Amino acid sequence: MAALTEPLPGTADLWEPEVLEWTGVEEAARAVFSLYGYGEVRTPVFERTDVFVRAIGDETDVVQKEMYTFQDRGGRSLTLRPEGTAGVIRAIAHRGLSPGEQVRVYYLGPMFRGERPAAGRRRQFHQVGVESVGSCLPQDDAEAIAMLVHYLEVIGIRGGRVLLNSRGLPEDRGPVGAALRRHFQPHLDALCADCRRRFETNVWRMLDCKEPACREIAERAPAMVDLLGTESRAFFAAVLGALDDLGVAYEIAPRLVRGLDYYVHTVFEVVHSGLGAQDALAGGGRYRISLPGGKTPVDGVGFAAGVERLLMARESLGVRQPPQPGADAYIVALGNEAVGAALILARDLRRATPGFRVLADYSARSMKAQMRTANRIGVPFTLILGETELAEGKVTCRDMRGAEQHTVSRDAVVAWLRQRR
Ligand code: AMP
């Protein structure tokens, strides 16, 4: 049995300096998305199960196999969110969306799927995602894709490939479904049990089955775009035109469907060779989601990127945040009286120099032991309070990088630090 101190399979504890890598990509997401008019939304991590089943579709792997669903004490069926869109759409519907109104939001946070853990596949993973809701134009799709590419550039990820396809409108489903069934029909015996069921219930899902035998047959299926009606084809052409205008490179992936049922028109993924088998950095598309209570469905476009995978891609490219010491200054206090003075000096410095991280040593150990700790932390400055300093109202300030040292009055410490920072 695994030790009780171990995190569950597919989950992880995170520590600095790794946490700093995370906050770096999260802060970059905030900075880039806000340039495009997106504001942050935070929705609950768990919702009524129905919120996900209705939006994602009950014939999807996420709903059928991967959701963490449980009954609460009142017998209600609840689910830990497996993705962000369904909850955001619920929240927007709850707040109300006037006709013609557009809402642009981004979110950051944990998602939960009961998948078999592997490199790049976790049970608790984290996404940064966006939704542009109430937007119906092909330019909105192109801009969302361009923003994702912009974001990847800002966090130093080169070499991502944008794959693009169209699923068309609901009215295209009949003819496309019929053509796909005609393609798969002669091969049914060679397909996995899931695909034989999907043949009846949701033939599109056969295009992204992971079984090698099914994949081989799926790869020969007709390209979806060729089967779409005039309106859907025109919409897709307009998305491609806008991407060309923006100078965003893409590849058409004629059989890309993405796992969730709510997509219409554009679907896309960004894949990266630094990731191994789970090579999708981000995925998204245009959707049409029905709201509870039979209101008019909501149109929108969005995407989500997996934070773990963004970090793996960065690592494969050798991109790292510069290492930071755990503090900027370390106060060495010699003798019991100095310990009290160190406590106050630390407080005053933190308030006088915002962003300057100060640690003080209250152990009253020898100078050598305290300096050893300061070296281990890697602080650029140590501030020494000994008996003489205390008596004279002074502090000995040492720049650890050049070993330069001055004894200055207590009031002059902030100026001394600012000059050398
Ligand atoms: P999806 O909606 O499944 O396409 O997920 C969007 C993005 O989230 C993917 O491109 C991945 O980067 C990330 N992702 C999805 N599932 C997992 C998982 N189980 N573990 C880690 N990252 C994931």
Side-chain angles (χ1 to χ4, degrees):
M1 201 182 89
L4 276 179
T5 51
E6 239 174 71
L8 288 167
T11 72
D13 302 316
L14 270 184
W15 295 86
E16 287 198 16
E18 223 182 313
V19 171
L20 300 178
E21 300 283 330
W22 281 64
T23 45
V25 298
E26 288 168 355
E27 285 313 312
R30 290 194 161 93
V32 174
F33 301 162
S34 66
L35 295 177
Y36 294 76
Y38 287 79
E40 183 169 354
V41 65
R42 299 187 187 197
T43 64
V45 166
F46 65 104
E47 299 266 4
R48 288 178 199 88
T49 300
D50 208 32
V51 168
F52 302 111
V53 175
R54 288 177 69 107
I56 300 172
D58 44 16
E59 255 309 311
T60 57
D61 278 359
V62 169
V63 167
Q64 287 200 341
K65 302 183 191 165
E66 296 169 2
M67 292 207 304
Y68 280 103
T69 295
F70 59 97
Q71 282 206 344
D72 72 0
R73 285 167 196 270
R76 286 168 288 254
S77 178
L78 306 180
T79 295
L80 296 181
R81 62 181 184 194
E83 55 93 62
T85 305
V88 169
I89 298 300
R90 185 214 36 78
I92 290 174
H94 178 60
R95 209 185 58 168
L97 185 70
S98 336
E101 185 187 355
Q102 267 204 34
V103 178
R104 287 191 160 195
V105 289
Y106 67 85
Y107 57 85
L108 302 148
M111 307 292 160
F112 305 86
R113 293 185 196 170
E115 298 187 84
R116 191 162 346 116
R121 194 164 62 208
R122 291 174 177 261
R123 291 181 174 165
Q124 175 174 336
F125 59 100
H126 299 76
Q127 286 185 337
V128 298
V130 308
E131 311 295 348
S132 173
V133 176
S135 67
C136 310
L137 300 171
Q139 287 74 14
D140 292 309
D141 300 21
E143 190 175 61
I145 296 169
M147 179 171 81
L148 173 58
V149 169
H150 183 179
Y151 172 55
L152 295 176
E153 262 169 43
V154 166
I155 59 174
I157 298 180
R158 298 176 310 276
R161 289 164 50 219
V162 177
L163 309 181
L164 204 60
N165 195 19
S166 173
R167 292 192 52 159
L169 285 162
E171 50 265 37
D172 294 311
R173 300 233 158 123
V176 177
L180 290 175
R181 272 189 213 95
R182 273 197 302 280
H183 169 75
F184 283 112
Q185 175 96 57
H187 307 286
L188 277 181
D189 291 345
L191 298 170
C192 73
D194 277 343
C195 277
R196 287 202 294 272
R197 187 174 40 75
R198 289 170 186 146
F199 183 80
E200 302 299 335
T201 55
N202 189 341
V203 69
W204 287 265
R205 304 280 300 116
M206 297 175 80
L207 293 174
D208 65 356
C209 180
K210 305 287 178 292
E211 292 294 323
C214 304
R215 272 174 90 143
E216 204 192 301
I217 295 162
E219 272 160 23
R220 284 183 274 125
M224 228 183 297
V225 186
D226 299 336
L227 305 167
L228 299 176
T230 332
E231 189 184 341
S232 296
R233 266 199 266 181
F235 192 97
F236 194 48
V239 174
L240 302 185
L243 286 172
D244 291 336
D245 290 344
L246 289 166
V248 173
Y250 56 82
E251 298 164 37
I252 309 277
R255 281 164 282 276
L256 177 71
V257 281
R258 309 232 339 111
L260 318 180
D261 276 353
Y262 49 51
Y263 290 111
V264 292
H265 288 311
T266 323
V267 283
F268 58 91
E269 265 179 15
V270 176
V271 294
H272 196 274
S273 60
L275 293 182
Q278 310 297 324
D279 67 350
L281 271 179
R286 167 161 291 283
Y287 48 78
R288 179 163 295 171
I289 298 181
S290 314
L291 300 175
K295 291 192 206 150
T296 332
V298 168
D299 282 312
V301 59
F303 64 76
V307 175
E308 287 84 355
R309 296 202 195 161
L310 294 175
L311 293 172
M312 281 169 73
R314 282 196 351 154
E315 206 174 314
S316 76
L317 296 165
V319 184
R320 285 232 128 211
Q321 308 263 106
Q324 273 207 356
D328 301 302
Y330 195 77
I331 304 177
V332 171
L334 304 168
N336 289 334
E337 223 178 304
V339 166
L343 196 61
I344 293 163
L345 180 62
R347 179 200 62 187
D348 293 348
L349 290 178
R350 290 180 193 124
R351 286 170 184 254
T353 49
F356 201 76
R357 299 159 309 153
V358 182
L359 283 178
D361 195 318
Y362 307 124
S363 66
R365 291 175 298 166
S366 70
M367 168 103 166
K368 203 169 148 196
Q370 294 191 44
M371 288 306 281
R372 208 178 303 130
T373 307
N375 274 319
R376 188 165 43 74
I377 297 170
V379 283
F381 305 107
T382 46
L383 307 172
I384 302 160
L385 278 171
E387 266 176 37
T388 326
E389 283 89 351
L390 221 53
E392 295 175 358
K394 291 190 170 167
V395 178
T396 297
C397 305
R398 185 181 291 182
D399 187 334
M400 305 288 277
R401 297 162 299 188
E404 177 201 7
Q405 179 170 309
H406 295 106
T407 302
V408 303
S409 80
R410 197 185 177 288
D411 296 342
V413 175
V414 170
W416 188 92
L417 288 170
R418 281 207 180 126
Q419 265 173 19
R420 285 162 184 80
R421 220 174 157 179

